[in-house]
């Protein structure tokens, strides 16, 4: 069982930056693919980005060039650095994990993930 705890959300003006963190329990964190998803009011949850065991990353087009995902396996933590934030980035951001068993596969669909955090609110004012 893996527990995920997000932190770092808050209120920021458009153009500003925030860094989200997701701390994971468990001894096999290094082989997990870690994803970030978000859900805006009245909308379905959507994929934001994923990082696999090797450090390979993939981003949704809406955040490419503005967001950066990274991981620190020594700290069992994944980060989401969000720059040049826009009001449309306002959402609850969720961290998710799946044991990828060191595969090179990227996971984009929320149904593929086994573990989820409780979410952290990000609000971008115009």
């Amino acid at each position: 069982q893996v527990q995920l705890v997000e932190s770092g959300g808050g209120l920021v003006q458009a153009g500003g930056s925030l860094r989200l963190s997701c701390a994971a329990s468990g001894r096999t964190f290094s082989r997990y693919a870690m994803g970030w998803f978000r859900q805006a009011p009245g909308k379905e949850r959507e994929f934001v980005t994923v990082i696999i065991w090797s450090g390979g990353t993939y981003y949704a087009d809406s955040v490419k060039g503005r967001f950066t995902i990274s991981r620190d396996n020594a700290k069992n933590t994944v980060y989401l650095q969000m720059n040049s934030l826009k009001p449309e980035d306002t959402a609850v951001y969720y961290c998710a994990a799946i044991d990828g068993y060191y595969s090179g596969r990227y996971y984009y669909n929320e149904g593929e993930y086994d573990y989820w955090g409780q979410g952290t609110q990000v609000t971008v004012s115009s």
Side-chain angles (χ1 to χ4, degrees):
Q1 192 77 3
V2 175
Q3 292 185 324
L4 304 174
V5 179
E6 302 103 330
S7 61
L11 174 64
V12 64
Q13 289 188 332
S17 298
L18 280 176
R19 190 176 81 155
L20 306 183
S21 299
C22 173
S25 64
R27 295 177 291 178
T28 57
F29 175 80
S30 63
R31 74 184 195 206
Y32 275 71
M34 302 296 296
W36 286 97
F37 289 74
R38 66 185 182 185
Q39 186 168 21
K43 295 186 177 182
E44 294 186 350
R45 190 154 56 184
E46 65 176 5
F47 168 81
V48 176
T49 181
V50 60
I51 185 167
I52 63 174
W53 70 275
S54 62
T57 59
Y58 187 84
Y59 298 89
D61 288 343
S62 59
V63 306
K64 200 172 296 183
R66 300 188 298 122
F67 290 12
T68 302
I69 188 172
S70 61
R71 67 191 299 159
D72 185 338
N73 290 334
K75 296 182 178 180
N76 277 20
T77 301
V78 63
Y79 304 98
L80 182 63
Q81 178 66 43
M82 305 185 294
N83 298 329
S84 302
L85 282 162
K86 305 175 182 180
E88 50 263 45
D89 294 318
T90 294
V92 177
Y93 283 71
Y94 297 90
C95 173
I98 178 172
D99 193 337
Y101 293 96
Y102 298 118
S103 77
R105 182 184 171 192
Y106 291 85
Y107 300 87
Y108 315 118
N109 298 313
E110 61 176 297
E112 297 179 294
Y113 286 82
D114 296 320
Y115 306 102
W116 291 84
Q118 81 288 353
T120 186
Q121 176 70 47
V122 171
T123 303
V124 184
S125 63
S126 57

